[in-house]
Amino acid sequence: MPSPCSCMSFNPETRRLSVGLDNGTISEFILSEDYNKMTPVKSYQAHQGRIMMILFVLEMEWVLSTGQDKHFTWHCSETGQRLGGYRTSAGACGLQFDVDTRHVFIGDHSGQVTILKLEQETCSLVTMFKGHTGGVTALCWDPVQRVLFSGSSDHSIIMWDIGGRKGTAIELQGHNDKVQCLSYAHHTRQLISCGADGGIVVWNMDVERQETPEWLDSDSCQKCDQPFFWNFKQMWDCKKIGLRQHHCRKCGKAVCGKCSSKRSSIPLMGFEFEVRVCDSCHESITDEERAPTATFHDSKHNIVHVHFDATRGWLLTSGTDKIIKLWDMTPVVS
């Protein structure tokens, strides 16, 4: 290859291999039936910098790609002709496509997700939304439930209910480092997330989850009315020392440390680990509500890439330790 390879997309039906390079070129090959020969088909300049993601869409005969040049482009896979492009706010590391509606989902380093409607040679902006405090590192689309999952360097996953048209966003907190890859098992409605912490988490998405509440603003504790440390007037009037502000993860109220001394997991809100809750919410959470909705597995390496074969229930992970591992996921994804 004339330049280092940065990403690949392979279509088993056509045995077409599309390779993105550091110099912005896309090179396409056809593999022989016995997988022992690669025949070069064409190469074309798609970006002015390194190609970050590449996606071959057989139904449209399109090759979608994002690059470090902050551009999303799509080309005709038969001719290599550029059909159109769109400039994103930052370099994009997440790319998914819905064949039925021709919507493309782009997640970028600023934490923003952009949805575009693609035509043969034009595109229109549908919407943009942002829920992560870090960059988007992975996207996964469920065309049946019409739900988009986004993983981020802020260690969280957000489930965006696109089909519901109500703007519902569910948070999933189960990693201690950035989320590297997402895969979805449609037949069991389970999400598989892998992180730089080496964790493989299998989420049960066949449960009714709840949105996390917005954090409320207040100058004093909404439980005991003690002033927070910036509320000088109330501190002077009450002759009390100001306290540090915290928030209950269940109700969203602004509370002091004394009124939120308890910790609890809230799996239906996506908190599989114990988080801060106010004392009254802690008493209201039942044992049933604390029942985990995810299983956790240690891959024992820093995962950088994942491929899930849903038909066999196999998960392939590769890590920074130069090791490839193959996992039988049928005991937990079934």
Side-chain angles (χ1 to χ4, degrees):
M1 305 297 284
S3 178
C5 305
S6 53
C7 54
M8 289 192 295
S9 176
F10 178 66
N11 182 265
E13 293 179 50
T14 59
R15 298 193 306 280
R16 180 188 291 267
L17 179 67
S18 305
V19 184
L21 307 182
D22 273 2
N23 64 5
T25 300
I26 293 177
S27 295
E28 297 196 350
F29 303 87
I30 297 295
L31 273 61
S32 62
E33 286 189 33
D34 61 2
Y35 287 87
N36 276 325
K37 185 181 179 184
M38 292 170 59
T39 303
V41 179
K42 70 177 81 66
S43 293
Y44 46 91
Q45 191 74 28
H47 294 270
Q48 297 304 311
R50 184 186 194 200
I51 294 180
M52 306 293 290
M53 293 289 293
I54 190 167
L55 193 62
F56 171 63
V57 183
L58 175 62
E59 294 84 351
M60 315 302 302
E61 293 186 340
W62 288 348
V63 177
L64 316 180
S65 61
T66 61
Q68 270 185 339
D69 57 2
K70 300 181 183 179
H71 273 86
F72 159 76
T73 65
W74 71 103
H75 291 74
C76 173
S77 62
E78 294 302 306
T79 64
Q81 177 188 351
R82 178 185 166 115
L83 299 174
Y86 180 87
R87 183 171 175 83
T88 55
S89 57
C93 274
L95 185 62
Q96 292 284 282
F97 183 73
D98 182 58
V99 175
D100 293 338
T101 62
R102 295 189 181 184
H103 285 150
V104 64
F105 307 94
I106 307 164
D108 64 41
H109 291 314
S110 72
Q112 183 171 278
V113 177
T114 303
I115 304 180
L116 303 174
K117 169 87 170 182
L118 300 190
E119 301 298 342
Q120 188 60 29
E121 295 183 359
T122 61
C123 71
S124 56
L125 176 65
V126 177
T127 187
M128 293 185 289
F129 45 85
K130 189 173 181 178
H132 292 289
T133 56
V136 174
T137 52
L139 289 180
C140 186
W141 171 244
D142 174 12
V144 179
Q145 302 295 325
R146 308 204 63 74
V147 166
L148 180 72
F149 299 96
S150 61
S152 171
S153 57
D154 65 7
H155 310 178
S156 72
I157 300 163
I158 298 180
M159 182 185 85
W160 308 90
D161 185 4
I162 307 295
R165 298 181 179 275
K166 293 180 181 177
T168 306
I170 306 292
E171 283 189 51
L172 304 174
Q173 302 280 354
H175 288 279
N176 295 312
D177 205 334
K178 73 175 179 178
V179 179
Q180 295 280 44
C181 308
L182 297 172
S183 297
Y184 192 68
H186 301 276
H187 59 299
T188 59
R189 291 193 64 187
Q190 288 173 292
L191 178 72
I192 303 169
S193 62
C194 299
D197 56 358
I200 300 174
V201 186
V202 181
W203 306 84
N204 178 13
M205 303 311 298
D206 199 20
V207 293
E208 193 169 336
R209 294 186 175 273
Q210 305 163 16
E211 274 193 286
T212 50
E214 287 191 26
W215 285 4
L216 303 177
D217 292 325
S218 179
D219 290 330
S220 57
C221 176
Q222 293 181 301
K223 293 294 182 180
C224 68
D225 205 36
Q226 284 270 83
F228 293 132
F229 64 83
W230 60 84
N231 188 354
F232 298 115
K233 185 179 184 303
Q234 190 178 346
M235 286 165 59
W236 178 262
D237 293 344
C238 301
K239 300 294 188 288
K240 291 180 178 177
I241 298 173
L243 303 175
R244 184 183 169 192
Q245 184 190 61
H246 300 282
H247 282 93
C248 172
R249 300 305 191 271
K250 191 172 192 299
C251 66
K253 288 182 178 178
V255 290
C256 67
K258 188 178 179 182
C259 293
S260 59
S261 58
K262 305 283 199 318
R263 302 288 183 274
S264 175
S265 60
I266 321 172
L268 292 179
M269 280 189 168
F271 297 113
E272 292 289 338
F273 303 145
E274 290 193 344
V275 290
R276 182 185 294 272
V277 292
C278 65
D279 293 352
S280 55
C281 281
H282 187 271
E283 291 176 13
S284 70
I285 300 173
T286 64
D287 289 340
E288 286 184 3
E289 289 177 307
R290 289 192 179 94
T293 60
T295 57
F296 295 82
H297 315 274
D298 186 7
S299 70
K300 292 186 168 56
H301 70 160
N302 182 330
I303 296 171
V304 293
H305 180 76
V306 162
H307 179 75
F308 178 62
D309 183 345
T311 55
R312 287 185 284 191
W314 288 1
L315 183 78
L316 183 142
T317 63
S318 60
T320 54
D321 55 2
K322 303 180 183 178
I323 294 175
I324 295 173
K325 298 185 180 184
L326 189 62
W327 306 85
D328 179 8
M329 301 297 287
T330 52
V332 290
V333 182
S334 60

